[in-house]
Amino acid sequence: MTLTAASTVAVLGATAVAMRTLISRQAAIARRRIGKPLGEQALDADRVWRGKKHPGEPVELLLLGDSIAAGLGAGHRRDTLGARLAKGIARDAARPVRLRTAAVVGSETSALTAQLAELPPGYRADVAVIVVGGNDVTHRVPATRAAAQLEEAIGILRARGMPVVVGTCPDLGTLRAVPQPLRTLASRSSRQLAAAQARAAQRAGARVVGLARAVGPVFAENPDEMFSIDRFHPSALGYRRTADALLPAVRAALENPPPPEPKP
């Protein structure tokens, strides 16, 4: 190796070490800024949601995934993502909606199978909604692995005859509490995961809603209104906008459910 080449390698190595150190420090800063002011338990919104003129058998709605699916950050149970979706379905279908939330705060995609295992034997939802991915990005889970785990969970749901809607990983670049350049790296990683999730979900027969594109811009432009007090999870308004983005796909899944996949 020539002296010039050796010098170049040494400089690149030192730069990589410095970058890793910088990213580690910025991650620690982000953790301190965000903290856990909301705790680790979302409000319990599971109940039958109905309007005064909504009789009949309830539509069964299942929520799976992470803290967004669980509704952490909402100040009232009516403002959680599940409740927002339930009320939207009830309004459109003129029927009551029974919400079941299997999502768990802090979950990575690998936790989906455990969430499914906790469902009552024989349970079947009219539509299942999955929102997951943010924790995979922050814990640096490879996108290919997380996407494969998502595809497996969708396959289980489809084999049980449940239509599935997937809200792909939100754009973590909207998090102002995360300093640069870590925020840019998080944005890139979350978008890469969202793309992998979309491909996996479509292969498995689920409907896909790209949350980064659907609600990312409004979160970036109005962070004080869209985020809760931890500046990481959605506020009541943030959940309302997220539910609005998901509802068209949920309606379509209810109105035109695909045939069930063969059981694995």
Side-chain angles (χ1 to χ4, degrees):
M1 181 182 291
T2 65
L3 181 60
T4 301
S7 299
T8 301
V9 170
V11 169
L12 291 175
T15 301
V17 171
M19 180 59 72
R20 285 198 297 271
T21 301
L22 174 62
I23 295 303
S24 296
R25 288 176 178 172
Q26 291 191 334
I29 291 170
R31 285 193 293 270
R32 287 196 300 270
R33 287 178 177 175
I34 295 169
K36 293 185 178 181
L38 301 170
E40 297 183 357
Q41 187 67 43
L43 295 173
D44 182 3
D46 286 4
R47 49 164 281 190
V48 175
W49 295 88
R50 71 174 81 227
K52 294 181 179 180
K53 298 180 180 180
H54 294 162
E57 190 69 19
V59 176
E60 297 286 343
L61 170 64
L62 173 64
L63 266 289
L64 298 155
D66 56 21
S67 53
I68 293 179
L72 187 65
H76 193 282
R77 63 181 183 174
R78 66 172 176 267
D79 295 321
T80 61
L81 180 62
R84 287 286 184 185
L85 289 172
K87 290 186 292 182
I89 295 169
R91 181 177 59 249
D92 294 339
R95 288 175 58 189
V97 177
R98 181 181 290 112
L99 171 64
R100 179 181 293 273
T101 304
V104 177
V105 174
S107 291
E108 299 175 9
T109 307
S110 59
L112 290 176
T113 52
Q115 293 176 17
L116 289 170
E118 291 295 320
L119 296 175
Y123 172 79
R124 180 187 178 279
D126 293 300
V127 62
V129 177
I130 302 174
V131 180
V132 74
N135 293 308
D136 295 272
V137 173
T138 59
H139 297 159
R140 296 185 288 183
V141 177
T144 52
R145 183 194 306 169
Q149 293 164 343
L150 175 64
E151 188 169 357
E152 179 184 1
I154 296 170
I156 295 171
L157 290 163
R158 297 285 296 107
R160 296 180 185 178
M162 292 182 248
V164 182
V165 174
V166 174
T168 57
C169 183
D171 182 5
L172 300 191
T174 61
L175 301 174
R176 299 288 181 86
V178 178
Q180 294 287 16
L182 180 58
R183 194 192 315 161
T184 297
L185 294 176
S187 178
R188 184 185 308 159
S189 296
S190 57
R191 288 178 179 274
Q192 289 172 345
L193 175 56
Q197 288 176 320
R199 292 190 294 268
Q202 288 167 348
R203 284 195 302 268
R207 297 177 186 271
V208 178
V209 178
L211 293 180
R213 178 177 296 179
V215 297
V218 71
F219 273 75
E221 294 167 6
N222 305 284
D224 293 339
E225 291 80 16
M226 294 295 116
F227 287 103
S228 62
I229 57 172
D230 67 353
R231 297 182 290 175
F232 188 87
H233 294 92
S235 63
L237 182 56
Y239 279 121
R240 177 180 177 181
R241 295 299 293 265
T242 304
D244 287 346
L246 290 166
L247 272 170
V250 173
R251 291 189 199 103
L254 287 168
E255 293 169 1
N256 300 289
E261 294 290 324
K263 295 184 178 180

